Amino acid sequence: MILYFSLMIYLINLGNANMRLVKLKYRPSKGVFVFEYMQEQIERLRGQGKERTVETYQSALNSFMKFRDGIDLCFDEMDADLMEHYETEMRSTHHLSRNTTSFYMRILRCVYRKAVGEGLALPADPFENVYTGVDKTSKRAATLTDIKHIKQLDLSDHKSLEFARDIFLFSFYMRGMSFIDLAYLRKKDLNSGFVSYSRRKTGKKLIIRWEKQMQEIIDRYGDSETQYLLPIIEREDGTERRQYRNKMLLVNRKLKKIAARAGLTTPLTMYVARHSWASIAKTKNISIGIISEAMGHDSETTTQIYLSSIQTNQIDNANRNIFKKIYKKGNI
């Protein structure tokens, strides 16, 4: 009997010791606040030059702070009930889509997991009952007839609309070049009749044959004092990214007015220029492989292996074929 009780006491003490070891792996988050921690992560990312990630983290933080009326909380207070309440608030009060709420949730989940890894939060899953997936969205594209109509609009009475139209068309002419790549396109990237640049999103290098329609747009705005080809970033003073974002918002607002003038039912944005080039190219029997290569897609390994054999001149010929359709008189 004495041996039995001695064994029981030993096991209890051993259990308590193990519990102490478990607790040592987790430092209570008292004094460690979510907003404060996220702001520290944002500053760290900014120091690494990850401006795009900084913007997404800041957007998520702003949304969560608004939900909390600016009142910070400890990681221990982030439970499933709170996150469900946050999701419901975003959808019912602010009418955000599932993809938008999921976007914020995924960022918060990433931050929470990082805090767990640093011993600042318990290894729980406060996001188990909220949506963190990605819904498929309907792609919008303008037709070749729409592009032609946009080009033929008389916008001479509104210079800001004319500028937005030019940027939209230039993006389309450049095989759906993204707005950020347009903004940072340098004069020295144009050489010997070709534009050579690397996509800022993927780092993939693209070469595009320079066409007279592209030059006509550049000529309308003259030679800038900056290194950039287009008048999107007009000052090199450390505010380049802010200039690009402000100009993108302005252009997208003006494109909505252009769509109304053109009588288009498709909402017009800079993304539409990119998607339209791909859709129109497809309708002209240009192969998916050439379209993918032309747009610098870099997500499907199998496709990229196949695309390595495609010649640049095939892509340029495909682009020139689209130009001919736009400038052709009469119906398309």
Side-chain angles (χ1 to χ4, degrees), residues 26 28 32 52 57-58 93 103 106 144 157 166 178 262 321:
Y26 165 67
V32 179
R52 177 59 183 155
Y57 269 54
Q58 190 66 61
T93 304
F103 169 77
R106 292 196 306 273
L144 201 50
D157 57 332
D166 283 343
S178 67
N321 183 34

Side-chain angles (χ1 to χ4, degrees), residues 152-247:
Q152 292 173 343
L153 281 176
D154 182 6
L155 301 175
S156 57
D157 57 332
H158 287 80
K159 294 299 181 185
S160 60
L161 293 182
E162 193 171 44
F163 173 76
R165 191 257 308 276
D166 283 343
I167 296 298
F168 178 87
L169 289 176
F170 192 84
S171 169
F172 182 82
Y173 294 162
M174 297 289 286
R175 306 190 319 224
M177 182 185 281
S178 67
F179 193 86
I180 190 169
D181 289 330
L182 290 174
Y184 286 94
L185 193 63
R186 301 165 299 176
K187 296 171 185 174
K188 67 179 184 180
D189 293 333
L190 172 58
N191 188 33
S192 303
F194 289 88
V195 170
S196 176
Y197 76 102
S198 296
R199 287 199 66 201
R200 294 180 75 86
K201 183 176 181 179
T202 64
K204 184 176 178 62
K205 185 151 188 171
L206 297 176
I207 300 174
I208 301 176
R209 185 165 58 201
W210 191 248
E211 305 285 356
K212 66 177 183 179
Q213 293 86 354
M214 303 167 183
Q215 187 63 48
E216 287 170 1
I217 291 176
I218 297 300
D219 289 343
R220 273 199 283 278
Y221 297 96
D223 191 16
S224 69
E225 296 180 357
T226 69
Q227 64 175 314
Y228 301 112
L229 195 60
L230 290 163
I232 296 174
I233 297 174
E234 300 181 279
R235 302 183 313 280
E236 297 181 85
D237 57 3
T239 64
E240 288 84 351
R241 189 169 182 84
R242 188 185 311 141
Q243 292 178 61
Y244 131 72
R245 286 180 57 78
N246 290 341
K247 198 66 68 76

Side-chain angles (χ1 to χ4, degrees), residues 22-45:
V22 170
K23 288 182 179 179
L24 284 175
K25 294 179 182 178
Y26 165 67
R27 301 193 304 275
S29 65
K30 184 177 179 180
V32 179
F33 295 101
V34 176
F35 299 167
E36 182 180 335
Y37 181 79
M38 281 194 72
Q39 197 58 57
E40 289 174 359
Q41 299 309 306
I42 289 170
E43 293 306 317
R44 177 181 62 81
L45 291 165

Side-chain angles (χ1 to χ4, degrees), residues 3 25 90 100 117 142 151 160 162 193 196 206 211 218 225 236 242 257 277 294 303 305 324-325 332:
L3 180 62
K25 294 179 182 178
M90 286 192 286
T100 302
K151 180 191 173 299
S160 60
E162 193 171 44
S196 176
L206 297 176
E211 305 285 356
I218 297 300
E225 296 180 357
E236 297 181 85
R242 188 185 311 141
K257 294 184 178 181
W277 190 91
T303 303
I305 293 171
K324 288 178 181 178
K325 298 293 182 181
I332 296 171

